[in-house]
Amino acid sequence: MAPRNSRTAHPAVSQQIEQMLRARSIEFDFEPNVQISEIRDAEGNQVRLTEHRAPKDQITRYAVAMKHGAQFPAIVLNDRLERIDGNTRLEARIRNGDTTIPAYICHGLTPLEARSLSVELNQSNGLAMTEQEIRRFVDGAVLEGQHADIRSLSRMTGVSDTKIARWIAETQFKARAGREGIEDRHVNVLPPSTRAALHAARLATVFRAITQLAAEARIPAAEAKKVVAKANAAPSESEALTIVAAERDARLEEIRAVGSGFSPRNNRRSQGSAQHIGGLVRFEVDDLLDVAPEKQFETYQRMKLLRDRLNDVVRRAEEEWNLTPPSDETEGRFSDQSD
């Protein structure tokens, strides 16, 4: 969109800024003499933290350079003359006693569009934004219900698309946990990467169950991701919850350790098979035979395959494992679970 009042000969005109505005289909005017007294500093249009805007030492350098004839690009404002970009340039002009400043006036911007433009302008021309500031921008957009284009955000901010995707998933997880009534004590103990992994759970019931389990057992992100994937692949909600319940059974020692104030031991070896076996022993014979007619043949083939594999597993376990009988206490606990 071409500017209506552009003065291409003016030294404050910036082809880079104009290209950026056109790429976003933003209508704008170039005004060489905006009255500084009319410019407003309104919250919601910029992402940079207030304490990081216009550092004093940089204002001094800009002011001195301006006095010696240095030319700087025009600042950027919305059509209410609220700041979007150019805090240091503006403050330097004020320090020098100037009453006007060249500016691009952008029309019809929403606060989110203004913040997005502010990020890109700062990353391209000014002092690069901190990761905290960029994260606040991404979080704010997600909480407003925006659907992020991760590649565009990565290009605009310089943050990897993997990290931005993780930020988005974590923010969505926290919002979802709030809606689902999950207690803060369960949310707060989870590291960001685990929160991001848990957000992938499709069903609300599974999301609640697996989040509570991850918090109580301190499940690492990589392992939480595997459990979520298995639950998502389950053909029904009940079977998905069975997978989570089996995982809880397999992690009882870890849950008890955490509950007693200790870190869980790293005993994750073979937990995948323990999880599936734990799920199977929850079913009675009649439960396993309760299969829709159209799926009976397929299920029968799978059961035969499982039977053959279990026969091999039992044979090798008899040869390779230490099968010393468990104590009475342990044996009783297993009997209670399998009855």
Side-chain angles (χ1 to χ4, degrees):
M1 190 72 64
R4 290 189 287 270
N5 299 319
S6 178
R7 299 290 186 268
T8 55
H10 195 285
V13 165
S14 167
Q15 294 301 319
Q16 184 179 20
I17 292 176
E18 292 191 3
Q19 288 173 2
M20 196 177 297
L21 296 175
R22 291 191 184 98
R24 291 168 173 258
S25 298
I26 295 172
E27 292 189 11
F28 64 93
D29 292 325
F30 174 79
E31 298 291 349
N33 294 295
V34 175
Q35 292 293 320
I36 290 177
S37 61
E38 297 179 3
I39 295 175
R40 302 169 55 206
D41 188 7
E43 287 300 320
N45 294 322
Q46 299 184 69
V47 179
R48 190 180 295 285
L49 297 173
T50 303
E51 59 269 25
H52 295 164
R53 298 176 191 171
K56 291 183 179 180
D57 57 342
Q58 197 157 345
I59 292 173
T60 300
R61 290 198 296 271
Y62 279 25
V64 171
M66 288 174 180
K67 280 186 176 181
H68 288 83
Q71 298 297 328
F72 289 80
I75 65 172
V76 180
L77 309 170
N78 65 16
D79 46 17
R80 293 179 297 279
L81 299 187
E82 295 169 345
R83 300 184 190 188
I84 295 175
D85 179 64
N87 293 289
T88 306
R89 282 164 277 165
L90 178 59
E91 294 299 328
R93 297 280 289 230
I94 293 172
R95 179 172 294 187
N96 285 343
D98 295 329
T99 58
T100 64
I101 188 171
Y104 286 101
I105 312 298
C106 301
H107 301 284
L109 291 184
T110 66
L112 177 60
E113 289 169 339
R115 291 195 296 274
S116 175
L117 179 59
S118 174
V119 169
E120 189 166 14
L121 288 168
N122 273 282
Q123 298 301 86
S124 301
N125 301 317
L127 179 65
M129 307 187 78
T130 67
E131 192 167 282
Q132 179 189 8
E133 290 170 330
I134 297 172
R135 175 72 188 270
R136 286 175 70 246
F137 162 65
V138 173
D139 287 353
V142 170
L143 293 175
E144 288 180 15
Q146 302 296 324
H147 296 284
D149 184 327
I150 294 175
R151 288 186 178 178
S152 295
L153 285 174
S154 177
R155 174 193 57 76
M156 185 173 72
T157 63
V159 177
S160 71
D161 52 2
T162 302
K163 180 174 286 189
I164 288 177
R166 188 171 69 247
W167 287 351
I168 292 171
E170 185 196 349
T171 300
Q172 291 174 332
F173 165 84
K174 293 171 71 175
R176 185 180 181 187
R179 293 193 302 270
E180 296 294 340
I182 296 174
E183 296 179 41
D184 288 343
R185 65 188 179 92
H186 287 142
V187 173
N188 294 339
V189 299
L190 296 170
S193 55
T194 302
R195 295 175 184 175
L198 293 171
H199 180 63
R202 296 195 185 106
L203 300 174
T205 52
V206 173
F207 176 75
R208 290 193 295 269
I210 200 169
T211 296
Q212 181 177 348
L213 172 59
E216 292 176 352
R218 302 297 193 270
I219 302 179
E223 294 173 20
K225 187 175 182 179
K226 292 177 182 178
V227 181
V228 168
K230 290 175 183 176
N232 284 345
S236 68
E237 181 177 11
S238 61
E239 291 183 60
L241 289 171
T242 296
I243 289 172
V244 179
E247 183 73 14
R248 175 175 285 278
D249 287 344
R251 293 179 181 270
L252 284 178
E253 289 187 12
E254 293 158 80
I255 294 171
R256 292 191 184 109
V258 172
S260 300
F262 299 96
S263 297
R265 291 183 297 177
N266 184 18
N267 59 351
R268 290 293 87 218
R269 186 181 180 191
S270 298
Q271 285 299 323
S273 60
Q275 171 183 314
H276 291 296
I277 293 171
L280 282 172
V281 298
R282 287 175 169 270
F283 291 91
E284 300 291 344
V285 172
D286 287 342
D287 295 327
L288 293 171
L289 289 172
D290 185 14
V291 177
E294 67 270 17
K295 293 189 175 181
Q296 287 178 353
F297 178 80
E298 178 184 359
T299 303
Y300 171 70
Q301 297 295 328
R302 289 181 176 180
M303 281 198 248
K304 285 203 304 179
L305 178 62
L306 178 61
R307 178 195 62 192
D308 294 339
R309 288 185 180 175
L310 283 175
N311 284 337
D312 288 339
V313 169
V314 170
R315 176 181 56 78
R316 288 188 56 184
E318 290 173 345
E319 297 171 355
E320 301 171 14
W321 286 6
N322 177 6
L323 297 178
T324 302
S327 64
D328 292 341
E329 179 183 356
T330 305
E331 187 173 16
R333 185 168 65 246
F334 178 78
S335 299
D336 289 342
Q337 292 175 346
S338 58
D339 283 345

